[in-house]
Amino acid sequence: MIAARIEQDVELRHLNTFHVGARAKFLATITEVEELRSVLQWQQQQQVPFMLIGQGSNILFKADYPGLIIELHTRGVEVVSETDTYIDVKVQAGEIWHDFVLHSLQQGWYGLENLSLIPGTVGAAPVQNIGAYGTEVKDSLLELDALELASGQLRRFDNADCHFNYRQSYFKQEGKDRFIICAVTFRLSRKSQPKIEYPALKAALAAVKPEHLTPQLVSDTVCAIRRSKLPDPGVIGNAGSFFWNPHIDQQQFLRLQQRYPELPGYADQDGVKIPAAWLIERAGWKGYREGDVGVHKDHALVLVNYGNATGAELVALSEKIQASVLDKFAIQLWPEVRIV
Ligand code: EPU
């Protein structure tokens, strides 16, 4: 059996991008899948709960964690197959997402450029089907390998098995708490195929001639847009979008549009997706600050910790925002961030 190092009574402030203080009873740092198996056996003997943490970029600790936190630090990028048009590359779950995006661009492997600068790890990306600027991880994911907790076996899921949807996957629903994603295989293109239909991206690249439009330029532009409106978690604690963008039905959208003609909405097969940021801004919260918690001045969907806010204070602010949006627009917002 491979012994992994398990620390006790660990401060979590540096392990979450909100930088809220909380403590975990145990913390294990894993560098290979065999260690993961042995740590999970130990956790079962101890009869404590466990949770995985990647870069801590989508989590809010409301209280101390009474169990074992597992940090996956598995590393490795391996080409498993290639043709003249595409390349299949298997990436270990602990790799940092943005580092892998940059690596793939340097190698001339394309398809992930719109997902540049998203915080987090490769293993966490499929769980919530990360997405930005008109692309989602599901668009490039070929298959993944996940450890099944009940059997201790690695199981392979192809793209369809993952049941991807907007910020959703099998691993957040039926498969929740049953699997740990260990490696993800992407099918990337050798051919540059920039996707720039997302309005903010299209506007930023409007002056660029098609022959000058490269995946690297798209990546650089996405990074610049993100940096211009999303606060750097290294400077101000935050976890990106705090709420999901809600779906409402067409009738409710038309009713609201009569009162708010400028209400933005993106129609899809289920109804209309409304930017939660718009609702929060119109409810008066953008730039709001109360002690060390607030709503960022450049993006109303981002809750921030200006210093020593607690998780409970951030949750209390999020609940006030939910109540006010519900009251003003009759739309319920739900947190995208995992509250523990
Ligand atoms: N808007 C406002 N006020 C604001 C900001 C935005 O009214 O302060 C409105 C504008 O109408 C704008 C629209 O909201 O056109 C959309 O804003 P933005 O392009 O910034 O996107 P978003 O819907 O707020 C989503 C993702 C982001 C992702 C961007 C870009 C969700 C929950 N969030 O945000 O993902 O980067 O699109 O594709 O779907 C994240 O998940 O942490 C994240 C940052």
Side-chain angles (χ1 to χ4, degrees), residues 132-133 166-167 198 229 241 245 275 278 281 286 299-300 336:
Y133 302 100
Y166 168 61
R167 293 294 197 274
Y198 193 88
K229 51 181 170 182
S241 302
N245 285 331
W278 191 93
E281 180 170 345
K286 193 167 175 174
H299 205 301
E336 192 214 301

Side-chain angles (χ1 to χ4, degrees), residues 274-335:
I274 310 284
W278 191 93
L279 301 169
I280 297 168
E281 180 170 345
R282 292 316 177 281
W285 292 99
K286 193 167 175 174
Y288 174 86
R289 179 167 177 174
E290 182 185 315
D292 272 350
V293 295
V295 176
H296 196 249
K297 65 177 177 36
D298 297 328
H299 205 301
L301 198 46
V302 182
L303 269 56
V304 291
N305 170 13
Y306 285 104
N308 290 312
T310 63
E313 286 167 335
L314 282 154
V315 171
L317 173 61
S318 76
E319 287 171 352
K320 282 193 216 169
I321 294 171
Q322 281 173 309
S324 121
V325 166
L326 187 61
D327 184 48
K328 192 169 168 72
F329 301 104
I331 294 178
Q332 176 70 55
L333 295 180
W334 297 108

Side-chain angles (χ1 to χ4, degrees), residues 38 66 74 107 157 224 249 259 313 318 323:
S38 75
T74 50
Q107 302 297 315
F157 291 75
D249 65 36
R259 280 183 68 190
E313 286 167 335
S318 76

Side-chain angles (χ1 to χ4, degrees), residues 211-261:
E211 61 272 27
H212 295 152
L213 194 61
T214 61
Q216 185 63 54
L217 180 61
V218 173
S219 169
D220 292 346
T221 309
V222 166
C223 290
I225 299 173
R226 291 186 73 98
R227 287 195 177 106
S228 74
K229 51 181 170 182
L230 297 172
D232 176 354
V235 181
I236 302 179
N238 77 89
S241 302
F242 194 90
F243 299 102
W244 295 28
N245 285 331
H247 265 114
I248 58 175
D249 65 36
Q250 184 73 21
Q251 282 180 346
Q252 188 182 5
F253 178 69
L254 293 175
R255 269 200 313 275
L256 276 170
Q257 226 184 14
Q258 282 176 352
R259 280 183 68 190
Y260 306 98

